[in-house]
Amino acid sequence: MNIDTICVRGRIDYEACDKTGAIALPIYQSATFAHPALGQSTGYDYSRLKNPTRDYLEKLVASLDHAEFGFAYNCGLAAITALFDAIILNEKEGERIHVVCSDDLYGGTERFLNTIGKKLGFDTTYTDTTELENVRRASKQNTKIIFIETPGNPLMKITDIKKTAEYAHSIGAILIVDNTFLTPYLQQPILLGADVVVQSGTKFLCGHNDTLAGFVTTNDKNLAEKLEIITKTTGSALPPFDSYMIVRGIKTLSVRLDRQCENALKIVEALKENPRVKEILFPGLPESKGYEISKTQATGFGSMISFYVDSPETVARVLKNVKIIHFAESLGGIDTLITYPATQTHVDVPEEERNKRGITDTLLRLSVGIENADDLIEDLSQALRE
């Protein structure tokens, strides 16, 4: 089946956990499950370990990602934490693992790697992964992980997934791809050679800014077994009601993203004509460095736009005066949100490093929703004008 059908219907070979014929997925709001007899189980024992509602969601997301194994957590950072916990279980005690990481990465991921990740035994080198030579130079003898986010957050850098995967495998490393910005509807990292996909389900998969979730998908059986241990031990799995909410969101993923991508293209064209906008970062611009790669590895450019304005004063004016658009952290929902990375998503990155990368005090990030594009353009125009 096509991916938009799977979003709505799920895989038709799924074994139904419900025998009533309910069209909507039931919410199994039960902490525990009765055993038929000693030594017998229905397949569900305790919801921290496995729950029918979450089970369906995990199979669904794995299917969308062309992965055999899927794990749902209570937010994107919980998913990343579980993944690195699982990886370290394979290593000898005290052994340190080197990670080569995109320098255009969600600030929360970077905070994890620089604090808890470092304590766990991971040492990270950040580099511009859009150039494979930079990845080669950053690699060390103990490099076992290459972690990329593409498009990057918030500078929209595009990394070639296929070439990076080939290099990672040539040195015995795995490639992890954060696919939050494009989702499996627009980009398929595992089909391009990635070993693991992580994504914040809070964003486009949910689509309504009302539920937190995170996912890890992979075809690596050994890693999946370790993730089961971590999930069982730490208790970070997604609850049943939240699982239901994400399933409900995924049902409309394709139609939402189609509209969001269409709106984003219109807004980009309008921003190009605004004298207060100095530079637009969007992979769908033909002059963008990542444009050609995007066309080969994704079926759309997404609905995330970053842009520089002429001054910090303009930033403050825009954030105060938008009326339809919300000044808020997060992305991917039906509501258009504008974010100031320097004080929100990337506040934990030292100022000097932020500025060096281009996350300056004149950078804004826009998550385009499904409202009327003309209304959004007018809202931005009046906020930039006043």
Side-chain angles (χ1 to χ4, degrees), residues 56-277:
Y56 177 90
L57 172 62
E58 290 175 333
K59 289 177 181 176
L60 175 61
V61 175
S63 177
L64 296 176
D65 276 337
H66 293 271
E68 185 177 354
F69 308 102
F71 299 86
Y73 297 94
N74 53 37
C75 68
L77 278 172
I80 288 170
T81 302
L83 173 59
F84 278 84
D85 280 341
I87 291 171
I88 207 70
L89 279 183
N90 270 337
E91 305 303 318
K92 296 177 183 177
E93 189 172 348
E95 186 172 0
R96 300 200 68 81
I97 297 173
H98 182 245
V99 183
V100 176
C101 200
S102 295
D103 64 358
D104 189 16
L105 187 74
Y106 169 53
T109 306
E110 192 164 338
R111 181 178 61 244
F112 165 79
L113 289 169
N114 293 343
T115 55
I116 298 170
K118 192 169 184 178
K119 290 288 187 181
L120 285 172
F122 296 98
D123 298 312
T124 305
T125 299
Y126 299 94
T127 190
D128 182 357
T129 55
T130 63
E131 299 290 341
L132 191 57
E133 186 55 36
N134 293 337
V135 181
R136 290 193 182 98
R137 283 199 295 265
S139 299
K140 300 179 180 180
Q141 191 172 357
N142 65 332
T143 299
K144 295 187 179 181
I145 300 169
I146 297 176
F147 190 122
I148 65 174
E149 185 170 354
T150 182
N153 183 1
L155 303 176
M156 304 298 171
K157 292 183 180 180
I158 303 297
T159 299
D160 190 315
I161 297 173
K162 187 174 182 181
K163 288 183 179 179
T164 308
E166 289 170 353
Y167 172 72
H169 299 155
S170 75
I171 63 170
I174 63 169
L175 176 65
I176 302 170
V177 178
D178 186 328
N179 198 35
T180 298
F181 274 18
L182 292 186
T183 80
Y185 180 64
L186 296 177
Q187 184 168 263
Q188 293 284 339
I190 286 178
L191 294 184
L192 293 165
D195 300 283
V196 185
V197 171
V198 295
Q199 55 194 311
S200 172
T202 309
K203 312 307 193 290
F204 290 98
L205 295 184
C206 171
H208 293 77
N209 295 315
D210 57 10
T211 308
L212 300 180
F215 296 94
V216 178
T217 53
T218 185
N219 285 317
D220 186 328
K221 184 178 180 181
N222 178 58
L223 180 60
E225 290 172 350
K226 298 298 186 295
L227 281 163
E228 286 182 358
I229 294 171
I230 294 299
T231 305
K232 177 180 180 179
T233 305
T234 63
S236 56
L238 195 64
F241 181 77
D242 302 83
S243 298
Y244 163 81
M245 292 288 283
I246 301 297
V247 170
R248 188 182 69 161
I250 289 173
K251 287 179 182 292
T252 60
L253 175 64
S254 62
V255 291
R256 285 187 285 105
L257 260 174
D258 284 345
R259 175 63 175 267
Q260 288 169 286
C261 291
E262 178 186 330
N263 280 354
L265 288 169
K266 292 178 180 178
I267 290 170
V268 165
E269 289 304 312
L271 289 174
K272 286 165 67 174
E273 303 301 319
N274 194 299
R276 292 197 181 277
V277 176

Side-chain angles (χ1 to χ4, degrees), residues 254-312:
S254 62
V255 291
R256 285 187 285 105
L257 260 174
D258 284 345
R259 175 63 175 267
Q260 288 169 286
C261 291
E262 178 186 330
N263 280 354
L265 288 169
K266 292 178 180 178
I267 290 170
V268 165
E269 289 304 312
L271 289 174
K272 286 165 67 174
E273 303 301 319
N274 194 299
R276 292 197 181 277
V277 176
K278 297 306 176 184
E279 184 181 358
I280 300 169
L281 307 177
F282 179 67
L285 287 169
E287 61 268 28
S288 168
K289 179 182 176 182
Y291 178 73
E292 294 299 331
I293 296 172
S294 291
K295 289 201 302 182
T296 65
Q297 67 184 21
T299 57
F301 300 111
S303 64
M304 298 299 300
I305 306 165
S306 290
F307 58 98
Y308 293 98
V309 294
D310 55 5
S311 69

Side-chain angles (χ1 to χ4, degrees), residues 308-309 311-313 315-316 340 342 351 355 358-364:
Y308 293 98
V309 294
S311 69
E313 290 74 25
V315 166
Y340 190 37
E351 183 178 4
N355 289 329
I359 307 172
T360 69
D361 58 2
T362 59
L363 179 69
L364 290 166

Side-chain angles (χ1 to χ4, degrees), residues 19-44:
K19 308 300 182 183
T20 67
I23 300 299
L25 178 69
I27 304 169
Y28 287 86
Q29 196 66 40
S30 181
T32 191
F33 301 86
H35 297 277
L38 183 63
Q40 296 181 22
S41 171
T42 62
Y44 299 97

Side-chain angles (χ1 to χ4, degrees), residues 47-63:
S47 275
R48 175 162 48 83
L49 313 178
K50 192 176 181 183
N51 176 279
T53 312
R54 183 172 72 246
D55 194 28
Y56 177 90
L57 172 62
E58 290 175 333
K59 289 177 181 176
L60 175 61
V61 175
S63 177

